[in-house]
Amino acid sequence: MTVDALPPASIDLDAVDLSDRDWWAGPPARRYATFARLREERPFAFYAEPEIPMLPSGPGYWAVTRYADVEAISSQPAVFCSGRGAVSIQDIPADLNEFYGSLISMDDPRHAKIRRIVSKTFTPRMLERTVDSVRAVVDDVLARARQTAAAQGGHVDVVADLAAPVPLRVICDMMGIPEEHRAMVLAHSTVILSGGDPELIEDQEQQLTVFLQAGMELAALMEALAAERLERPREDLTTALVTTDVDGERLSHQEIASFFILLLVAGNETTRNAISQGVLALAEHPEQRARWAGDPGLDRTAVEEVVRWASPVTWMRRTATRDGEVNGHRFAEGDKFLLLYGSANRDPAVFRDPEVFDLGRDPNPHVGFGARGPHFCLGAHLARREIAVTFRALLDQLPDLEVTAEPDRLHSSFVNGIKRLPARLTGVR
Amino acid sequence: MRITVDRELCIGSGACEALLPDVFEVGDDGVVTVLRPEVDPDVADEVRDAVAQCPTGALALASEGDGPAG
């Protein structure tokens, strides 16, 4: 497979609508050529908000495409807040906003206090203890994928058979979610981050209802687990959520439920797509695949390049708390900004040859885990570990994995998602 | 040189701990503890990296003789 770069000059900027979710499922070459033009000509480009049935559309938003502007906004949380919504372009009712965004849609000091309940669990030192378990999960997933392939004439789906099960099992283990609930967790987490993709939400008029239903089901699972953990605490994240005090108070019921949903959804959707996009990138760049296969010393920089290249979370929103100016751009209180990480990660002002997939890239100050600021990805160290272990195992144990068709891309602006990526294990007859 | 932490800003991201586990450790309270506040000249560059990479700017370096505000 090859990737054709598209000359930025071929893009008609006036015909581009970043609110059109189908545009995001289109060819990445078009997307990145468009970003190149936007960075050059309209670093703050204004778009009308996408229409979602039952939600009022707001005034529109600025799409921020340059690295320096993404950094500037992200690192001034008092001026560009998250509390008015960080994961939705539309303003959604405050309680829903917090329910689905949890920490992501909160500002300090509350954000920092709640985040610190689980920070330690996600530090490199604590994760060191989970390395063996991540490795065991990955080995088992790969063994099952080989069985699946054997039963299907060599065919596998990179997403369903490899990329999805790894983070699902790791985060469910960390949270103490029993085996029998995991398929349900994956299904609901996929719906919550579907961006309204019609394949995942059939009745488009009922988007909001389907989305709420998925959240309710996860909240119900949490209720059952929480009751158990209060009676019999364990060494898991769920116990930490239900037993920790913040300023002498337990988290409210709703705060626990939303934090629980956040950890599940964020733990699943992001790493799954980093792995799927990484497998695709390796298929498109066989020389890089051979290089990584032959050099385990490359793991550290290769993982960062996979995250830069994939930029699994496409954007986060910030909202101006006052009038002001950022890097020469004037804004008014209430203005919305989408920080387009995938564009910042290809900004030639920061990255040499940004359109080149280079597993040895160093330094690589990508913003794939978010830019500087209090909302920097909580799970970054975990994600790095999962990605590193998965690719090392893939390269060593499934050297015959071959992508056989174009991916089915998620129709969503929010997650750079792949729904299916057909592949074959050529060693299986 | 001494390493200082702003405990209000720290979110326990562990970026510093990833670079220098002997110097930084995120504690049970979710905030980083500096295990060796006096900068060891052998790792001064890494310490500067850790300070520069802190996502919330919670870490700083204070020269000897600076006030507590650094």
Side-chain angles (χ1 to χ4, degrees):
Chain A
M1 301 178 80
T2 56
V3 232
D4 298 315
L6 213 58
S10 66
I11 301 293
D12 175 8
L13 274 194
D14 292 321
V16 170
D17 179 9
L18 295 190
S19 290
D20 173 11
R21 70 161 91 89
D22 295 334
W23 183 85
W24 292 90
R30 180 181 70 186
R31 186 193 309 179
Y32 296 121
T34 304
F35 287 165
R37 285 282 300 282
L38 288 173
R39 283 191 303 263
E40 276 293 312
E41 296 166 41
R42 301 178 195 176
F44 288 84
F46 196 79
Y47 293 96
E49 301 186 11
E51 282 176 27
I52 295 183
M54 304 197 293
L55 272 186
S57 271
Y61 60 90
W62 301 104
V64 184
T65 42
R66 284 185 186 165
Y67 187 99
D69 297 331
V70 168
E71 274 275 294
I73 291 173
S74 184
S75 59
Q76 299 180 68
V79 184
F80 303 100
C81 75
S82 296
R84 296 194 207 173
V87 293
S88 160
I89 295 174
Q90 287 85 4
D91 286 335
I92 55 179
D95 48 341
L96 277 187
N97 183 34
E98 204 167 293
F99 189 66
Y100 282 97
S102 182
L103 291 184
I104 291 183
S105 302
M106 259 181 227
D107 293 309
D108 286 344
R110 185 85 188 151
H111 157 266
K113 283 177 180 158
I114 295 186
R115 176 168 172 149
R116 287 185 197 127
I117 295 173
V118 297
S119 314
K120 191 178 170 67
T121 310
F122 289 94
T123 60
R125 195 182 308 263
M126 294 298 280
L127 290 171
E128 200 55 50
R129 302 180 191 172
T130 66
V131 170
D132 288 343
S133 65
V134 172
R135 201 160 284 149
V137 164
V138 169
D139 286 347
D140 186 53
V141 167
L142 265 53
R144 283 168 195 246
R146 199 167 268 291
Q147 287 169 9
T148 304
Q152 301 177 350
H155 294 279
V156 289
D157 172 13
V158 170
V159 178
D161 298 319
L162 296 169
V166 171
L168 175 70
R169 286 173 58 176
V170 170
I171 194 69
C172 286
D173 282 349
M174 289 176 76
M175 300 187 66
I177 293 174
E179 190 75 41
E180 66 264 28
H181 298 302
R182 296 184 177 187
M184 176 273 254
V185 164
L186 180 63
H188 293 316
S189 110
T190 305
V191 164
I192 289 174
L193 279 195
S194 66
D197 184 309
E199 183 188 333
L200 293 154
I201 298 190
E202 282 174 23
D203 186 346
Q204 287 287 295
E205 291 305 308
Q206 296 299 320
Q207 267 184 62
L208 207 53
T209 318
V210 175
F211 176 75
L212 289 177
Q213 188 63 35
M216 301 302 252
E217 302 266 349
L218 290 179
L221 169 62
M222 185 281 303
E223 301 234 0
L225 281 184
E228 265 181 52
R229 292 303 187 278
L230 279 172
E231 231 168 82
R232 283 183 299 278
R234 284 203 222 164
E235 289 280 310
D236 61 22
L237 277 167
T238 305
T239 304
L241 295 189
V242 297
T243 59
T244 309
D245 291 346
V246 176
D247 294 342
E249 282 174 42
R250 289 278 165 93
L251 294 184
S252 76
H253 210 68
Q254 183 177 313
E255 282 172 330
I256 294 173
S258 64
F259 204 160
F260 181 88
I261 293 172
L262 171 68
L263 290 170
L264 283 179
V265 171
N268 269 311
E269 304 298 310
T270 51
T271 308
R272 180 208 313 163
N273 286 306
I275 294 172
S276 307
Q277 296 278 5
V279 169
L280 178 61
L282 291 182
E284 290 168 342
H285 302 87
E287 77 297 344
Q288 291 294 318
R289 175 176 166 158
R291 184 182 174 199
W292 196 0
D295 182 6
L298 208 60
D299 284 2
R300 184 184 63 83
T301 55
V303 166
E304 299 305 320
E305 183 67 346
V306 165
V307 176
R308 181 188 79 91
W309 194 253
S311 299
V313 174
T314 310
W315 53 261
M316 286 284 170
R317 176 187 140 194
R318 297 291 186 268
T319 310
T321 57
R322 58 168 171 79
D323 297 357
E325 194 180 305
V326 59
N327 293 343
H329 173 79
R330 298 178 67 82
F331 61 85
E333 192 272 335
D335 277 7
K336 301 175 182 183
F337 298 86
L338 292 201
L339 310 182
L340 292 172
Y341 302 120
S343 174
N345 279 339
R346 282 170 167 78
D347 188 338
V350 175
F351 301 95
R352 204 169 83 184
D353 300 328
E355 304 298 339
V356 173
F357 181 62
D358 173 9
L359 294 177
R361 186 180 290 278
D362 193 18
N364 187 350
H366 68 78
V367 290
F369 293 119
R372 202 172 282 273
H375 293 278
F376 188 84
C377 178
L378 170 71
H381 303 297
L382 175 63
R384 287 181 172 119
R385 182 140 300 176
E386 290 176 318
I387 296 166
V389 173
T390 301
F391 278 95
R392 181 48 46 206
L394 280 175
L395 294 164
D396 290 350
Q397 297 170 34
L398 300 185
D400 56 335
L401 180 71
E402 206 179 88
V403 171
T404 52
E406 292 296 315
D408 275 337
R409 294 181 189 277
L410 186 67
H411 291 242
S412 163
S413 74
F414 184 66
V415 174
N416 187 21
I418 293 182
K419 292 188 285 190
R420 277 173 298 275
L421 182 58
R424 209 163 69 92
L425 293 180
T426 55
V428 173
R429 297 282 159 203
Chain B
M1 273 191 312
R2 260 184 95 73
I3 307 165
T4 63
V5 184
D6 183 329
R7 297 180 53 87
E8 291 300 306
L9 287 178
C10 178
I11 48 165
S13 77
C16 51
E17 187 183 301
L19 283 174
L20 286 170
D22 294 340
V23 178
F24 301 100
E25 177 169 8
V26 176
D28 289 332
D29 57 358
V31 175
V32 79
T33 300
V34 184
L35 305 171
R36 297 185 194 169
E38 293 300 332
V39 177
D40 178 344
D42 289 348
V43 293
D45 286 346
E46 287 88 343
V47 168
R48 278 191 203 93
D49 281 349
V51 169
Q53 285 179 24
C54 173
T56 58
L59 295 175
L61 287 173
S63 307
E64 302 303 335
D66 278 5

